Amino acid sequence: NASTLPLSSWARAARQLLERIQSHGIDARLEALKELAKLSADPTFATEFINMEGIGTLARLVESGTHFGEMLAFTLTAFLELMDHGIVSWDLISLSFIKQIAGYVNQPMVDVSILQRSLAILESMVLNSHSLYHRVAQESTVGQLIGHLQVSNQEIQTYAIALINALFLKAPEDRRQLVLFQHVIRGNRPIKAEMAHQLYVLQVLTFNLLEERMMTKMDPNDQSQRDIIFELRRIAFDGESDLTGTEKRKAMYTKDYKMLGFTNHVNPAMDFTQTPPGMLALDNMLYLARVHQDTYIRIVLENSSREDKHECPFGRCAIELTRMLCEILQGCNDYHPMFFTHDRAWEEFFCVCIQLLNKTWKEMRATAEDFNKVMQVVREQITRALAMKPSSIDQLKNKLRGLNYSEILRLRQSERMSQDDFQSPPIIELRERIQPEILELIKQQRLNRLCEGSCFRKLGNRRRQEKFWFCRLSLNHKVLHYGDLDESPQGEVPFELLSDKIPISDIKSVLTGKDCPHMKEKSALKQNKEVLELAFSVLYDPDETLNFVAPNKYEYCIWTDGLCALLGREMGSDLTRSDLDTLMSMEMKLRLLDLENITIPEAPPPVPKEPSSYNFTYNYS
């Protein structure tokens, strides 16, 4: 710990290591680099080493190309750790250094540890310097990085996607093209949390590409845009386009645009002047007409030939559906594997949903007046299907087949009845009596988990050469014990290995998210929404803080709930609400088991009148 050593000792250690890594003995240099990789995480040592031009020395060692294997891996680790402190600007990195690092990434066969660190260095360059983005983009393209997604090592895949995301974030709008979907690994192995996060980031960035088209209104005077609408008409009604004469063509087009289901039959371009969905809806319709022509023609002709007022207006439906899908995906906070199984996943998603809308319209026997009702049912169908996390577009189709209109009605009725059953006054009173018991049960579970302890990742290391620390609550619930670890533990860590402690009585408050001190200090972490959502801090006397970043949302909820319970405050996490609902539902059903299929009255039955006399006689003979 830097606080336990005088500054002169760190300066001496930095000077000695700098001399040793430049010595001629290979073994001596390797040992020095190993030690440097460990010490570089300490900010005090890092400051001293950087002041002695240490980073320049490491950069020259890399540029020379004379280091290989372990020696190079430790050199890159130390370089990363030192740069991570933010003392030196990334803009000072030379072009030859970038070329050398990019060379390791682009080599077909390179040591895994060197590849990991090289990918991480390039990612940091791109995220921390606009000028370096252009240099890295020239040396290492998305196309070259795709090969790293086809390996079996998920950690390498994660580093590669992180770099691709960084390049994607910094790329100019007109160069944001993605060719990754078919290359992302879709094996049976479970996706780890870090990989899932990077894929979610990639998913968001990809859908953000749609925003420009979504917010672009159609120009009714632009002939090239009007030609697209004409092509939609031509594909659907090609056999009828042999009329001559301007007036005849105009009359025919008006009729066809009405049959296509546009609101404005004379000038359908006006239908696309609303944002959103703007031109994005037209793009979707054209994709359906060109790629799934049979489906497109079937939907259009099936509805245009009807004379019973039950026709489904294709144009209006496609426009409103596009708007709905944008809203659904904007509110989506999960990684969906199916969007990584097709080059044109968004368009295919639309094609599946427009067929669903047409099918649901027929099942509901809808007319134009029922348009909004149909859209509500379709939204529910799509939302429920997405919640099942289909792994492919085909699997999405299967999920939607099982969610037809009658099934939606059944689910709604079931949920409504379940809700109604629990709204009568006697049931509400029973819930109020049971709830404190359930909350106490949840509280005990949280405290038991704190007593088992959890491992946390140290900030600043991100995905490279991770460092850890462990924290657990004493069995008497009076002290928090914590301490550093060299590696992630397997199971509990004994109290005697945890050198630091905080009495619970000294804790003043628990902060979360952006209110945490370490979220205010770490500017780079502010950009990482996931880290922000997992951060919490313990403030204790006199003015000290213990800062956490939970490994996942579950651990975050466990620890924030447990700490609040220790301080006598309400446990307000999403997990507590979920656990409370689940346990309450189970307990209520158990208690009401004998009353199944019996209607519970709103009020207690009336007390009968008193008998005329109390001279009751029983004859047991």
Side-chain angles (χ1 to χ4, degrees):
N1 192 323
S3 60
T4 61
L5 283 175
L7 196 59
S8 58
S9 299
W10 287 112
R12 186 164 55 254
R15 190 177 301 106
Q16 289 173 353
L17 277 177
L18 192 58
E19 292 170 357
R20 286 166 58 196
I21 64 175
Q22 298 177 85
S23 67
H24 296 293
I26 293 177
D27 292 340
R29 270 189 290 165
L30 180 58
E31 289 304 314
L33 286 167
K34 283 183 181 179
E35 193 174 339
L36 178 63
K38 290 181 181 178
L39 288 176
S40 294
D42 189 285
T44 310
F45 171 83
T47 303
E48 294 297 324
F49 189 81
I50 290 170
N51 288 340
M52 297 174 188
E53 302 295 328
I55 284 183
T57 301
L58 292 178
R60 286 190 292 274
L61 290 174
V62 173
E63 291 168 19
S64 69
T66 56
H67 280 199
F68 303 98
E70 262 195 314
M71 193 172 291
L72 178 58
F74 285 118
T75 303
L76 296 178
T77 301
F79 179 86
L80 268 173
E81 293 286 2
L82 292 166
M83 292 300 295
D84 197 44
H85 293 292
I87 299 169
V88 177
S89 170
W90 282 91
D91 287 315
L92 300 176
I93 302 302
S94 69
L95 182 58
S96 59
F97 181 86
I98 297 172
K99 285 180 177 292
Q100 192 69 33
I101 296 296
Y104 299 136
V105 170
N106 298 334
Q107 283 178 20
M109 297 294 290
V110 68
D111 186 81
V112 170
S113 58
I114 293 171
L115 179 58
Q116 286 175 348
R117 288 153 179 78
S118 298
L119 287 167
I121 288 173
L122 292 180
E123 181 200 357
S124 292
M125 287 179 182
V126 172
L127 290 176
N128 288 288
S129 169
H130 183 70
S131 61
L132 289 186
Y133 155 72
H134 296 286
R135 294 179 181 177
V136 173
Q138 288 173 353
E139 298 296 330
S140 194
T141 65
V142 169
Q144 290 169 314
L145 293 170
I146 286 173
H148 297 306
L149 300 178
Q150 297 170 309
V151 300
S152 58
N153 187 325
Q154 192 171 115
E155 196 171 357
I156 291 296
Q157 294 173 353
T158 305
Y159 280 91
I161 292 180
L163 176 54
I164 290 167
N165 285 342
L167 288 167
F168 198 87
L169 271 169
K170 296 290 183 176
E173 292 291 334
D174 59 346
R175 292 183 57 194
R176 291 187 174 182
Q177 296 178 355
L178 199 60
V179 291
L180 286 179
F181 294 130
Q182 66 190 35
H183 301 284
V184 174
I185 302 303
R186 302 189 298 272
N188 295 322
R189 295 176 299 115
I191 297 292
K192 294 180 182 176
E194 181 63 32
M195 171 67 100
H197 171 65
Q198 292 298 340
L199 289 172
Y200 168 69
V201 171
L202 184 56
Q203 178 180 297
V204 171
L205 293 173
T206 307
F207 285 138
N208 284 349
L209 292 178
L210 305 173
E211 188 170 3
E212 183 180 351
R213 293 294 283 176
M214 184 176 73
M215 301 309 293
T216 300
K217 298 179 181 180
M218 188 170 187
D219 181 0
N221 299 316
D222 187 323
Q223 188 58 45
S224 63
Q225 294 181 6
R226 295 178 68 173
D227 286 345
I228 298 176
I229 297 178
F230 181 80
E231 184 173 357
L232 290 173
R233 192 213 66 80
R234 182 190 60 77
I235 292 172
F237 308 111
D238 190 46
E240 303 174 24
S241 60
D242 56 349
L243 290 179
T244 57
T246 305
E247 290 302 318
K248 287 184 178 180
R249 279 201 306 272
K250 187 175 181 181
M252 179 191 70
Y253 289 172
T254 301
K255 174 192 170 188
D256 288 350
Y257 291 143
K258 181 178 181 180
M259 292 168 69
L260 274 170
F262 289 111
T263 305
N264 192 316
H265 308 146
V266 178
N267 186 3
M270 298 302 295
D271 285 13
F272 298 93
T273 57
Q274 298 296 315
T275 55
M279 290 292 291
L280 186 60
L282 190 58
D283 294 342
N284 286 340
M285 294 164 74
L286 188 62
Y287 180 87
L288 175 69
R290 286 176 174 173
V291 179
H292 300 282
Q293 194 170 110
D294 291 345
T295 301
Y296 168 71
I297 293 173
R298 177 179 56 79
I299 291 175
V300 172
L301 296 184
E302 187 179 80
N303 289 286
S304 62
S305 60
R306 300 185 68 152
E307 298 178 356
D308 56 2
K309 296 184 179 180
H310 288 284
E311 66 274 7
C312 178
F314 172 73
R316 184 185 175 193
C317 287
I319 292 168
E320 290 304 316
L321 178 65
T322 301
R323 180 184 287 114
M324 179 202 293
L325 295 182
C326 289
E327 291 170 358
I328 290 172
L329 292 178
Q330 282 174 343
C332 171
N333 295 318
D334 294 324
Y335 149 63
H336 284 284
M338 74 172 188
F339 291 122
F340 294 86
T341 60
H342 199 285
D343 288 341
R344 304 292 294 273
W346 158 257
E347 289 86 351
E348 288 294 320
F349 182 42
F350 168 82
C351 292
V352 170
C353 294
I354 193 70
Q355 292 178 73
L356 169 73
L357 196 159
N358 187 59
K359 176 171 169 282
T360 302
W361 186 283
K362 288 189 289 186
E363 290 173 349
M364 293 179 67
R365 296 284 299 158
T367 62
E369 289 76 22
D370 302 316
F371 186 88
N372 291 333
K373 291 180 183 178
V374 176
M375 295 305 291
Q376 287 172 4
V377 173
V378 171
R379 178 186 285 268
E380 188 172 342
Q381 289 171 312
I382 296 169
T383 304
R384 287 180 182 272
L386 285 178
M388 300 178 200
K389 292 286 186 73
S391 59
S392 66
I393 297 293
D394 286 338
Q395 202 175 97
L396 173 68
K397 292 179 186 176
N398 292 333
K399 302 289 185 191
L400 289 171
R401 280 193 203 103
L403 288 169
N404 55 30
Y405 179 52
S406 59
E407 177 63 11
I408 292 295
L409 288 180
R410 190 192 67 78
L411 289 170
R412 285 179 174 178
Q413 180 68 15
S414 174
E415 290 167 1
R416 192 181 300 115
M417 286 178 63
S418 176
Q419 190 176 12
D420 291 345
D421 285 348
F422 284 86
Q423 295 307 310
S424 61
I427 299 297
I428 292 173
E429 185 180 346
L430 180 59
R431 283 178 64 88
E432 290 172 351
R433 290 187 183 183
I434 293 173
Q435 185 163 315
E437 301 173 22
I438 302 297
L439 283 172
E440 182 61 28
L441 186 65
I442 295 172
K443 174 184 172 182
Q444 289 306 315
Q445 187 271 342
R446 302 293 191 262
L447 295 179
N448 290 341
R449 277 287 293 106
L450 263 61
C451 290
E452 293 172 14
S454 297
C455 180
F456 299 92
R457 195 177 69 196
K458 280 202 167 186
L459 283 181
N461 291 284
R462 305 174 69 215
R463 290 177 306 283
R464 51 184 181 271
Q465 200 182 5
E466 293 183 318
K467 291 181 170 57
F468 304 92
W469 63 286
F470 197 88
C471 186
R472 62 182 296 194
L473 179 66
S474 63
L475 299 179
N476 62 6
H477 300 174
K478 291 186 177 181
V479 180
L480 278 181
H481 296 264
Y482 64 98
D484 293 344
L485 300 175
D486 292 330
E487 58 185 25
S488 182
Q490 302 298 318
E492 291 185 13
V493 176
F495 288 110
E496 52 269 21
L497 295 182
L498 305 175
S499 56
D500 300 298
K501 60 183 180 180
I502 302 171
I504 298 301
S505 58
D506 288 350
I507 296 178
K508 294 188 287 188
S509 64
V510 178
L511 302 178
T512 58
K514 61 183 179 182
D515 295 327
C516 299
H518 55 316
M519 291 297 101
K520 295 174 181 175
E521 295 167 4
K522 292 275 181 181
S523 58
L525 289 172
K526 285 184 181 179
Q527 302 168 8
N528 191 333
K529 183 183 175 184
E530 184 188 42
V531 172
L532 200 62
E533 290 175 348
L534 299 178
F536 61 99
S537 298
V538 171
L539 273 62
Y540 61 98
D541 288 331
D543 288 305
E544 302 291 332
T545 60
L546 183 62
N547 298 319
F548 300 74
V549 174
N552 50 54
K553 191 67 176 177
Y554 176 78
E555 288 291 330
Y556 170 85
C557 293
I558 289 289
W559 276 84
T560 51
D561 281 345
L563 291 169
C564 286
L566 287 170
L567 299 180
R569 296 172 188 168
E570 182 182 350
M571 299 180 293
S573 76
D574 294 340
L575 183 63
T576 291
R577 285 192 288 274
S578 174
D579 286 351
L580 182 61
D581 288 344
T582 303
L583 293 171
M584 283 290 290
S585 176
M586 289 173 61
E587 185 66 19
M588 291 290 289
K589 286 176 181 176
L590 285 171
R591 302 232 183 162
L592 299 173
L593 207 54
D594 293 336
L595 297 176
E596 193 170 355
N597 298 324
I598 296 175
T599 304
I600 300 172
E602 291 292 317
V607 177
K609 293 181 179 179
E610 291 188 14
S612 56
S613 82
Y614 290 89
N615 300 322
F616 300 123
T617 304
Y618 294 93
N619 186 358
Y620 292 100
S621 59

